């Protein structure tokens, strides 16, 4: 199965072609998107909705917004861990969770490849860090696609009129 992954700053999502149909894979709690948040406490990691909910209660134990730090030497210090987390490692954990969502719904953890969307402004270092995060999460074949390009391609798919004129606005978040 080939996957499309929106590795977002605020939320992430995964789609795939399942039995010939494009399918959005839901989070374990039934949501369309997974909050891009990681919570560490007492040596245990939680990802997504529960992690985001902990941001108000124990902000020192929650990592959010780390996508903005991709490709830099910045680290994320969390009170619940012994070692700092790199933005690449944090992104890898989000991708792993997305892959678990797919495996939970399909019963398979075999993926032919994935395309991950990235901001149009990502530079080479940020793009390479995204690919390394995906490889670390277990994906061997990974391609990147800029978010506005992905949006334009999605608009073209459903378009009845193909005169080449589209306005794509990436609001984000």
């Amino acid at each position: 199965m080939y996957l499309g992954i929106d590795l977002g700053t605020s939320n992430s999502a995964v789609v795939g072609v399942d039995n010939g149909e494009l399918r959005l894979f839901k989070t374990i709690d039934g949501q369309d998107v997974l909050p891009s948040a990681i919570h560490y406490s007492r040596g245990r990691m939680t990802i997504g909705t529960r992690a985001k909910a902990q941001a108000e209660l124990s902000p020192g134990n929650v990592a959010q917004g780390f996508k903005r730090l991709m490709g830099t030497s910045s680290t994320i210090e969390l009170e619940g861990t012994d070692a700092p987390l790199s933005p690449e490692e944090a992104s890898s954990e989000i991708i792993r969770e997305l892959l678990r969502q797919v495996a939970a719904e399909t019963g398979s953890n075999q993926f032919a490849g994935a395309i991950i969307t990235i901001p149009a402004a990502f530079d080479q270092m940020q793009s390479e860090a995204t690919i390394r995060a995906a490889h670390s999460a277990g994906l061997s074949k990974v391609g990147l696609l800029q978010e506005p390009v992905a949006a334009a391609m999605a608009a073209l798919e459903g378009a009845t009129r193909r005169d080449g004129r589209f306005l794509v606005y990436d609001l984000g978040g």
Side-chain angles (χ1 to χ4, degrees), residues 12 25-35 49 97-98 101 105:
S12 296
F25 293 97
K26 304 275 188 179
T27 65
I28 291 169
D29 55 353
Q31 302 299 310
D32 288 344
V33 296
L34 175 77
T49 304
E97 184 64 21
L98 293 170
Q101 288 176 206
E105 288 192 43

Side-chain angles (χ1 to χ4, degrees), residues 3 15 20 25 38 52 54 64 66 77 79-81 100 104 107-108 121 125 127 137-138 147 157 161 163 165-166:
L3 302 174
V15 298
F25 293 97
I38 299 171
K52 185 176 179 182
Q54 290 297 315
Q64 297 183 95
F66 40 83
E77 303 287 337
E79 295 169 6
T81 63
R100 282 191 285 269
S108 173
M125 300 276 287
S127 297
E147 292 161 352
E157 182 65 27
R161 198 170 144 222
D163 62 5
R165 294 182 196 167
F166 291 91

Side-chain angles (χ1 to χ4, degrees), residues 51-98:
K52 185 176 179 182
Q54 290 297 315
E56 286 187 37
L57 302 172
S58 59
N61 291 348
V62 177
Q64 297 183 95
F66 40 83
K67 179 178 167 182
R68 292 181 181 104
L69 302 173
M70 290 292 278
T72 70
S73 59
S74 299
T75 58
I76 304 159
E77 303 287 337
L78 295 172
E79 295 169 6
T81 63
D82 296 332
L85 193 64
S86 73
E88 198 172 302
E89 290 168 325
S91 292
S92 182
E93 292 298 340
I94 298 299
I95 295 169
R96 272 191 198 94
E97 184 64 21
L98 293 170

